[in-house]
Amino acid sequence: MPRPLLFSRVAASAVAASLFAAPAWAQDAGRASLDGPTRGPVAAPPPVPTGGNLPVPADIPELAPDDDDPVGRRFVEPPPVPTAPPGTGTVAERGRNAAFAGAPLTLDEALELAAANNPTLVQARAQVQGTLGLAVEAGLWPNPVFRYVGEQIGVDREGETDTPGEFQGATITQQFVTADKRDISRAKFLQRTRVAEWAAVAQQWRVCNDVRVHFYQALGAKETVAIREDLLKAAEDAVVTAREQWNLGQSTRSDLHLANVALQEARLNLLMAENDYLEQFQTLASLIGLPLETGAVVGELDGEPAEIDFEQVYQEYLEEAPQVVMAKQKLREDQITLKRELVEPIPNVFVEAGSGYNFEALETTAVASVQLEVPIFDRNQGNIRRAESDLVRQRREIQRTEMLLRRDLATQYRRYLTARQHVEQFAEVILPEARAAYKNQLDAYAEDRQQWPEVLAVQSSYFDLRQRYVGHLVALRTSETLIRGYLLRDGLAVPVALPPGHLDVTAQPR
């Protein structure tokens, strides 16, 4: 029944009741006043309105006699639940952790596979062998030179024409390297081989650190998938609850739409978490050097955080970090290079000896000669100056490397401290408090003291805190790995190229 009509009937009934309940003296007083000066006939009172003749406002239509479905009494269909995106559905349909169908992989297995298959490690070892080959070549003696000599061939002699010439024979020339040049060159390239070995050590740290970091990130992505599945289950429960409350008239159509939005976002967030895990696992596989099928990584993210002191770690870097040791080994190489260039002006001796037949004297003769270069104009001044400059530059390179390590360590140490502080507080305070709040809400709901939507809201907040905790754990493990691994990253970058050798030439570099 329309509200204005109902109000009119109630008002009319009240008026009628008040009139019927009025005392007789009041009615007489009314008549007396009417019988006053006019003394005319008494006007008849208006009829008491009844249910059949109540006044109805003109702007409210009459209900049709056959209208048996008025507003407020018929069921309105709620909006449909949105269709799940491809690749997801309800948690019950998909099964938990469906993205981890492949063979499981542990951290130790990943490190072993990377040591055997990562291509950059093979490149680094090949670089060591190549530099060792230069050391072998630089220390070899020069080859002798064999020469055939025929002088004045075809000279005519009395009674003869086209004679063999005055002399026919052969000589051998040998260069004698002075001032231990070959030994110094070999020492220089052997020192460079040590530099290459430390470059290979640095590359091993890069690969191992990257494998560990991406393994921890894959573990975090795996935990995120599990949390997103729980959040999807909570969103599914929220949709069911909202529709049940709609049936009972306890929720609005807007509540249903918002529940559908939350459900679809939870589905998309789960797909995004699975995509993130796929990326992390395939990145890990690329660092290993094998095309692995996506499977579950097996390991633990949480655990006792490592105690790290900034100054202590920095002092260890100055003594043990591959970057610093490699710079110091390169300084030793530059020192040997300068020594080698200082002895370069000392001339080598070329000795030639041979034998042949003298057709003019008709007897066997010998040939001998000694040759050396006199360093008058070119005394290797420019190369000596270049070697001295390289030595000065490398001393400063060691200092630059140490300062660069301190700067990068400060950045990574700040991340370590922040992550550790968050992990400890989440584990000791935030998550236990959120879990207790969630349990209290469940207990209140079981005792009919709380509504289910409020329980779902606390549940979603608890799961979000768990996801943030996983992110802080990944950041902590990443920082610990890099700090303990001399801040070396990027296991697929080309190994550190050796500095160019001074006058690297073949066949005998110096």
Side-chain angles (χ1 to χ4, degrees):
M1 178 182 298
R3 184 179 180 86
L5 183 59
L6 177 63
F7 177 78
S8 300
R9 288 184 178 178
V10 172
S13 300
V15 172
S18 62
L19 290 176
F20 289 130
W25 66 266
Q27 297 180 13
D28 294 338
R31 293 191 185 97
S33 62
L34 291 175
D35 295 336
T38 60
R39 296 187 182 268
V42 178
V48 178
T50 62
N53 58 3
L54 285 177
V56 179
D59 58 344
I60 298 181
E62 291 286 347
L63 294 177
D66 57 349
D67 189 355
D68 58 354
D69 186 23
V71 176
R73 294 183 181 180
R74 69 174 183 269
F75 177 75
V76 179
E77 186 71 23
V81 178
T83 305
T88 186
T90 64
V91 174
E93 293 171 352
R94 300 174 64 257
R96 297 187 64 85
N97 295 333
F100 319 125
L105 180 67
T106 64
L107 178 57
D108 292 338
E109 292 172 346
L111 291 173
E112 291 178 3
L113 290 173
N117 299 280
N118 186 281
T120 65
L121 297 181
V122 180
Q123 288 178 323
R125 290 191 291 266
Q127 190 165 257
V128 174
Q129 293 300 318
T131 311
L132 186 60
L134 286 176
V136 172
E137 183 66 28
L140 296 177
W141 274 73
N143 292 324
V145 178
F146 176 81
R147 186 164 64 102
Y148 174 77
V149 180
E151 296 180 353
Q152 298 182 2
I153 298 175
V155 173
D156 292 337
R157 193 169 51 182
E158 185 178 352
E160 297 181 11
T161 58
D162 298 334
T163 63
E166 182 180 355
F167 178 82
Q168 292 285 337
T171 64
I172 294 179
T173 303
Q174 177 63 52
Q175 178 186 8
F176 291 89
V177 181
T178 61
D180 297 328
K181 295 189 184 77
R182 296 287 107 182
D183 293 337
I184 298 175
S185 294
R186 173 174 289 179
K188 183 184 80 170
F189 284 101
L190 284 175
Q191 184 63 30
R192 184 175 299 181
T193 302
R194 296 186 180 93
V195 178
E197 289 173 346
W198 279 102
V201 171
Q203 189 64 27
Q204 289 176 344
W205 278 106
R206 285 189 178 88
V207 173
C208 291
N209 289 345
D210 241 18
V211 168
R212 286 190 174 95
V213 167
H214 285 282
F215 187 87
Y216 291 137
Q217 290 180 354
L219 277 177
K222 176 184 174 183
E223 293 294 330
T224 301
V225 169
I227 294 173
R228 288 299 182 184
E229 287 181 336
D230 291 338
L231 287 171
L232 175 58
K233 183 64 172 61
E236 293 171 352
D237 293 343
V239 169
V240 173
T241 301
R243 297 176 75 85
E244 290 177 351
Q245 289 180 333
W246 167 267
N247 294 335
L248 298 176
Q250 298 175 355
S251 66
T252 65
R253 196 174 187 86
S254 177
D255 296 332
L256 296 184
H257 288 301
L258 292 177
N260 287 343
V261 169
L263 173 62
Q264 205 69 351
E265 285 186 340
R267 290 167 172 172
L268 292 174
N269 288 336
L270 175 57
L271 288 177
M272 182 172 61
E274 291 181 346
N275 295 339
D276 291 342
Y277 178 79
L278 176 63
E279 176 192 4
Q280 292 299 332
F281 189 90
Q282 292 305 322
T283 301
L284 181 62
S286 65
L287 289 167
I288 290 174
L290 294 175
L292 301 178
E293 180 184 0
T294 304
V297 291
V298 180
E300 296 294 334
L301 267 178
D302 51 359
E304 189 66 24
E307 292 288 342
I308 298 178
D309 180 74
F310 179 86
E311 292 298 336
Q312 180 181 356
V313 170
Y314 182 64
Q315 292 302 318
E316 293 176 358
Y317 281 9
L318 297 182
E319 299 175 1
E320 304 172 359
Q323 305 96 306
V324 176
V325 178
M326 187 167 61
K328 292 179 179 179
Q329 294 293 334
K330 181 61 175 62
L331 176 65
R332 176 58 181 161
E333 178 197 339
D334 288 342
Q335 292 171 341
I336 300 175
T337 299
L338 177 59
K339 181 180 178 181
R340 174 63 181 83
E341 295 307 319
L342 288 173
V343 300
E344 179 62 22
I346 301 175
N348 297 332
V349 178
F350 295 83
V351 177
E352 182 179 21
S355 177
Y357 188 79
N358 191 318
F359 286 89
E360 184 176 350
L362 301 178
E363 61 180 345
T364 301
T365 60
V367 176
S369 69
V370 177
Q371 177 184 349
L372 57 86
E373 181 181 352
V374 181
I376 297 178
F377 305 107
D378 183 1
R379 298 184 301 277
N380 205 36
Q381 307 96 313
N383 290 328
I384 291 174
R385 179 176 295 183
R386 168 67 183 275
E388 291 173 344
S389 301
D390 289 345
L391 191 60
V392 173
R393 179 194 60 80
Q394 190 59 30
R395 287 196 178 99
R396 293 303 179 181
E397 177 65 17
I398 295 175
Q399 182 182 7
R400 188 195 71 84
T401 302
E402 293 173 349
M403 294 300 101
L404 181 63
L405 280 175
R406 188 174 185 87
R407 184 199 69 181
D408 294 345
L409 177 60
T411 300
Q412 200 59 241
Y413 192 74
R414 186 262 304 169
R415 295 173 182 170
Y416 158 77
L417 288 179
T418 302
R420 179 172 180 176
Q421 292 162 356
H422 280 75
V423 165
E424 290 177 349
Q425 293 305 310
F426 266 74
E428 296 174 3
V429 179
I430 297 177
L431 284 181
E433 292 291 334
R435 190 182 302 111
Y438 179 38
K439 183 178 182 301
N440 290 337
Q441 290 281 25
L442 288 176
D443 294 341
Y445 175 74
E447 298 172 2
D448 292 334
R449 293 185 292 105
Q450 186 61 275
Q451 297 295 323
W452 185 242
E454 284 74 13
V455 178
L456 291 178
V458 176
Q459 181 191 55
S460 297
S461 176
Y462 172 57
F463 287 146
D464 287 337
L465 290 173
R466 281 176 53 194
Q467 184 172 348
R468 291 171 56 189
Y469 176 62
V470 169
H472 293 309
L473 278 176
V474 172
L476 177 61
R477 297 307 174 204
T478 299
S479 297
E480 288 179 348
T481 299
L482 293 179
I483 291 175
R484 293 304 186 188
Y486 307 107
L487 307 177
L488 292 168
R489 283 293 302 269
D490 200 354
L492 285 178
V494 177
V496 176
L498 294 180
H502 196 55
L503 296 183
D504 282 340
V505 294
T506 53
Q508 289 184 317
R510 75 168 193 256

